[in-house]
Amino acid sequence: MSKDYYQILGVPKSASKEEMKKAYRKLAHKYHPDKKDGDEKKFKEINEAYTVLSNDQKRAQFDQFGSGFQGGGAGSGSGQGSGGFGGFDFSGFSQGAGGQDIDLNDILGSIFGGRGGGGFGRRRKGQDIAIDLEIEFKESILGVSKKVKVSRGKNGSEEIIVNIPPGIDSGEMIRYTGKGEKIEEGQPGDLYIRIHVKKHSSLTKEGANLFAEVSIKISESLLGTKKEVEGVDGKITVKIPSGVRHGEMLRVQGKGVPISTSRSGDLLIKIIIQSPKKLSKKAKEAIQILQEEGL
């Protein structure tokens, strides 16, 4: 039966490579056979789908012919067709840099070769190690380096410096090849670090932008004012124009999440106009005058 690789990854046919990679990494982590609730069959299916869709030539052939095509020109050797991975070339499959992405050959090798299957011709490999690391909100925005102590089996513990890139989100994984369990006559496993970001008291993040709220008085909304707003790298003085409305968003360019060395997202500030619960006699008289003026 023809497989829908887009459906397997849970992405639309128009998905970009980045969207497919993000979906793949999430599913691969969820169904990895080494996890307690892992699913080896589902894991193989996910990798098969991503191997095809991440390759422009194979993706074009799949879009035209469906999953019945012959491995996108990977060869005509035995094993092609409906029986699993025949026809797909996994050699040298690695995405990105900095140890943050999953090497498909390593993952499949740990399932088959690492368990005595030998299907991929890989040497024995040590266990992968997964640890959790909590960082501050500011550190997640600007990036940071952290020292972590990792127990690497019989060889004892080792202190490793983890370089966390700017803009990382809670739940994202950073992978360091060869920093897992060390074993004799075999290659070491890998180290996976799951990042947990602490909540900020006044800031939230969405993509490359940061969001904050600032409360002002009615008089300040009418006359305009200046307010200090907490940013990730210190307080920012924001000019609030006269006539601003409740719920209006003000934009401070370049004060969000760094996108590159020369570009950052923005800080968006939501205006909250506070209404007093009680009014003095003098305040009531002043408001009545404003009312008479049509304000």
Side-chain angles (χ1 to χ4, degrees), residues 152-158 181-184:
R152 304 193 65 189
K154 296 179 181 179
N155 295 274
S157 299
E158 180 180 339
E181 180 195 25
K182 288 183 178 180
I183 60 172
E184 295 181 3

Short mmCIF file of all heavy atoms in Angstrom, two decimals, residues 152-158 181-184:
data_model
loop_
_atom_site.label_atom_id
_atom_site.label_comp_id
_atom_site.label_asym_id
_atom_site.label_seq_id
_atom_site.Cartn_x
_atom_site.Cartn_y
_atom_site.Cartn_z
N ARG A 152 29.91 8.96 32.43
CA ARG A 152 30.13 8.27 31.16
C ARG A 152 30.43 6.79 31.34
O ARG A 152 31.23 6.19 30.63
CB ARG A 152 31.23 8.97 30.37
CG ARG A 152 30.95 10.46 30.14
CD ARG A 152 31.87 11.05 29.12
NE ARG A 152 31.66 10.46 27.80
CZ ARG A 152 32.48 10.69 26.77
NH1 ARG A 152 33.54 11.48 26.93
NH2 ARG A 152 32.24 10.11 25.61
N GLY A 153 29.79 6.18 32.33
CA GLY A 153 29.95 4.74 32.54
C GLY A 153 31.17 4.42 33.38
O GLY A 153 31.51 5.14 34.32
N LYS A 154 31.86 3.33 33.05
CA LYS A 154 33.01 2.86 33.82
C LYS A 154 34.16 3.86 33.82
O LYS A 154 35.03 3.82 34.68
CB LYS A 154 33.50 1.52 33.27
CG LYS A 154 32.50 0.38 33.42
CD LYS A 154 33.04 -0.90 32.83
CE LYS A 154 32.04 -2.04 32.96
NZ LYS A 154 32.56 -3.30 32.37
N ASN A 155 34.16 4.76 32.84
CA ASN A 155 35.24 5.74 32.73
C ASN A 155 35.04 6.95 33.64
O ASN A 155 35.82 7.89 33.59
CB ASN A 155 35.37 6.20 31.28
CG ASN A 155 35.81 5.09 30.35
OD1 ASN A 155 37.00 4.84 30.21
ND2 ASN A 155 34.85 4.40 29.74
N GLY A 156 33.98 6.92 34.45
CA GLY A 156 33.74 8.00 35.39
C GLY A 156 33.02 9.18 34.77
O GLY A 156 32.40 9.06 33.71
N SER A 157 33.09 10.32 35.44
CA SER A 157 32.38 11.52 35.00
C SER A 157 33.30 12.45 34.23
O SER A 157 34.52 12.40 34.36
CB SER A 157 31.79 12.25 36.21
OG SER A 157 30.87 11.43 36.89
N GLU A 158 32.66 13.32 33.46
CA GLU A 158 33.41 14.30 32.68
C GLU A 158 32.64 15.60 32.66
O GLU A 158 31.41 15.62 32.53
CB GLU A 158 33.64 13.79 31.26
CG GLU A 158 34.42 14.75 30.38
CD GLU A 158 34.62 14.23 28.98
OE1 GLU A 158 34.51 13.00 28.77
OE2 GLU A 158 34.88 15.04 28.07
N GLU A 181 28.04 7.28 26.78
CA GLU A 181 28.77 6.22 27.48
C GLU A 181 29.99 5.77 26.66
O GLU A 181 29.90 5.55 25.45
CB GLU A 181 27.85 5.02 27.72
CG GLU A 181 28.55 3.87 28.44
CD GLU A 181 27.76 2.58 28.36
OE1 GLU A 181 26.97 2.41 27.42
OE2 GLU A 181 27.95 1.73 29.25
N LYS A 182 31.12 5.62 27.34
CA LYS A 182 32.32 5.08 26.71
C LYS A 182 32.37 3.57 26.94
O LYS A 182 32.08 3.10 28.03
CB LYS A 182 33.58 5.73 27.32
CG LYS A 182 33.80 7.17 26.91
CD LYS A 182 35.10 7.69 27.51
CE LYS A 182 35.39 9.11 27.09
NZ LYS A 182 36.66 9.61 27.69
N ILE A 183 32.75 2.84 25.88
CA ILE A 183 32.89 1.39 26.01
C ILE A 183 34.20 0.96 25.37
O ILE A 183 34.80 1.69 24.57
CB ILE A 183 31.71 0.65 25.34
CG1 ILE A 183 31.66 0.99 23.84
CG2 ILE A 183 30.40 0.95 26.02
CD1 ILE A 183 30.65 0.17 23.07
N GLU A 184 34.65 -0.23 25.74
CA GLU A 184 35.86 -0.78 25.15
C GLU A 184 35.54 -1.35 23.77
O GLU A 184 34.48 -1.93 23.55
CB GLU A 184 36.44 -1.88 26.04
CG GLU A 184 36.91 -1.37 27.40
CD GLU A 184 37.51 -2.48 28.26
OE1 GLU A 184 37.58 -3.63 27.76
OE2 GLU A 184 37.87 -2.19 29.41
#
